[in-house]
Amino acid sequence: MPNARATHLTRRGILAAGGALGLGAALAACGDDDAKSGGSDKETAAAAKSGPWTFKDDRGTTVKLDKIPANIVAFTGVGAALHDYGISVKGVFGPTRTADGKADVQAGDMDISKLTILGNVWDQFNVEKYAALAPDVLISTMFDTAGTLWYVPETSKDKIAKLAPSVGVSVYDRQLIEPLQRMWELAESLGADMKAAEVADAKKRFETAAARLRAAAKAKPEIKVMAGSASTELFYVSGTNLSIDLEYFKSLGVNFVEPPESAKKLGGGWYESLSWENVDKYAADIIMMDDRSSTIQPADIAEATWKKLPAVKAGQVIARSPEPILSYDKCVPLLDNLAEALEKAKKVS
């Protein structure tokens, strides 16, 4: 999803379904240059295997290597998903470390002290460090149909492309279950044991959580849910189109606030921008707020108009992950949290 500019969207404005990336306080890049190289503590099955490797990504590009990649570099969220399947990455790029040195929400369970962080903020990617890792493959998500790799800078993408082949997993205009399946297939190709008990259990828990959310939505069709994101100047209301999580939740019956297409035009079809004075434009019983560290979190919103919203006054505000970590384990809480909110919600709008 591109970041919004004043009158149009560029690649930089790609909005991953819910709020402008890079808005609010920018993530500090502290410590990036001192990050140690290496993946997680787990030994990947792929590292012990040999033989040719082939994977066809969502651009239709088939990557062929003589052996299963051992030196993997990935967008942080992709690395976190692969970690859940037992696959280690050597380096990451994208939100990994917060300003206070802790792991970013998109880093999942990875031990970031053992990763080479090539870039922690938008347009930051240390090509020299990348080359030093002798990468076998680079993996990222894509928020458009043009095959743009998320968080790979436009200015250095050609240099980066010459160093190793890349794999793109689309998270654009489809339901969550599709990229989840694609990440499953990718992990399996890299040597993950998809029959492991914890992997099978996570998938089963996801299915149970989906059934719970469907039942909760069916029981309370009158409850209106709004997906929002906050910056200092603006409040963003996401429509369900294009966003993998919202499209999926809607398919399960969740009743969402839907800004008209004309209102989302400046947001590339992803969202409508509202001034804080107009934050009450839409009636909502539950508000899901963007949990990315590039956005302002609910507890830090001081705007009086926000505090007067019925859902806020009723305590019916929950977190939303516009860029879900694409493992079943990490997506279970997304379903359960929304289901619980619906089960407890009162009609306040």
Side-chain angles (χ1 to χ4, degrees):
M1 351 180 214
N3 273 342
R5 287 197 176 179
T7 58
H8 67 286
L9 285 182
T10 64
R11 175 180 179 273
R12 186 182 177 190
I14 302 173
L15 242 231
L21 287 181
L23 293 171
L27 285 180
C30 58
D32 287 353
D33 291 336
D34 330 336
K36 301 175 182 178
S37 73
S40 74
D41 291 332
K42 296 181 180 179
E43 287 294 328
T44 68
K49 290 189 175 184
S50 60
W53 180 76
T54 300
F55 189 82
K56 185 175 182 179
D57 75 359
D58 290 338
R59 298 171 297 186
T61 299
T62 300
V63 178
K64 296 181 180 180
L65 298 174
D66 293 336
K67 60 180 181 179
I68 293 175
N71 293 344
I72 302 170
V73 172
F75 171 68
T76 302
V78 171
L82 292 175
H83 174 89
D84 285 353
Y85 292 126
I87 302 296
S88 299
V89 300
K90 295 290 185 181
V92 294
F93 53 95
T96 306
R97 179 185 287 118
T98 60
D100 59 3
K102 296 179 180 179
D104 188 274
V105 64
Q106 294 191 63
D109 293 332
M110 292 189 295
D111 182 349
I112 64 172
S113 71
K114 296 183 178 181
L115 294 170
T116 295
I117 302 174
L118 303 174
N120 198 57
V121 297
W122 188 261
D123 263 349
Q124 183 184 79
F125 192 111
N126 191 315
V127 181
E128 290 71 27
K129 273 189 176 183
Y130 179 58
L133 289 175
D136 294 321
V137 68
L138 178 148
I139 309 172
S140 190
T141 48
M142 302 181 297
F143 285 95
D144 59 26
T145 57
T148 305
L149 296 174
W150 192 226
Y151 267 80
V152 173
E154 184 71 23
T155 54
S156 55
K157 67 176 184 178
D158 293 338
K159 291 181 181 179
I160 293 168
K162 290 177 181 178
L163 295 170
S166 62
V167 167
V169 177
S170 180
V171 288
Y172 177 78
D173 195 17
R174 59 201 61 205
Q175 294 182 20
L176 177 61
I177 50 176
E178 294 180 58
L180 267 175
Q181 180 60 31
R182 290 296 282 147
M183 192 62 69
W184 174 287
E185 294 165 0
L186 177 59
E188 186 172 37
S189 78
L190 292 170
D193 180 5
M194 309 315 280
K195 294 182 180 178
E198 61 268 27
V199 174
D201 176 66
K203 193 169 185 179
K204 185 177 295 184
R205 286 188 290 109
F206 178 88
E207 293 165 353
T208 299
R212 178 186 179 187
L213 179 54
R214 187 188 296 277
K218 185 177 181 180
K220 292 188 176 178
E222 75 283 2
I223 297 297
K224 201 79 171 175
V225 180
M226 180 168 68
S229 184
S231 73
T232 304
E233 302 295 331
L234 297 169
F235 183 81
Y236 304 88
V237 180
S238 290
T240 57
N241 291 343
L242 308 183
S243 302
I244 58 172
D245 61 329
L246 302 185
E247 283 197 14
Y248 182 54
F249 299 157
K250 183 179 180 180
S251 77
L252 296 176
V254 179
N255 182 12
F256 281 101
V257 167
E258 294 281 5
E261 290 303 314
S262 58
K264 295 187 294 180
K265 190 173 182 180
L266 287 177
W270 293 92
Y271 61 91
E272 177 181 2
S273 303
L274 299 175
S275 66
W276 283 103
E277 289 75 14
N278 296 314
V279 73
D280 60 354
K281 179 177 179 178
Y282 298 106
D285 303 295
I286 294 173
I287 302 176
M288 302 176 69
M289 289 297 289
D290 189 339
D291 68 355
R292 291 173 294 182
S293 52
S294 56
T295 66
I296 299 176
Q297 296 306 300
D300 299 319
I301 299 175
E303 301 290 340
T305 48
W306 162 261
K307 294 180 178 180
K308 291 179 181 178
L309 293 178
V312 175
K313 292 171 69 175
Q316 296 180 171
V317 177
I318 64 172
R320 175 198 169 208
S321 299
E323 295 184 64
I325 293 173
L326 296 172
S327 71
Y328 286 101
D329 179 70
K330 292 299 181 293
C331 287
V332 169
L334 310 185
L335 296 166
D336 277 339
N337 291 345
L338 181 52
E340 182 179 6
L342 283 169
E343 290 162 357
K344 295 180 177 179
K346 296 179 180 179
K347 184 68 179 174
V348 294
S349 65

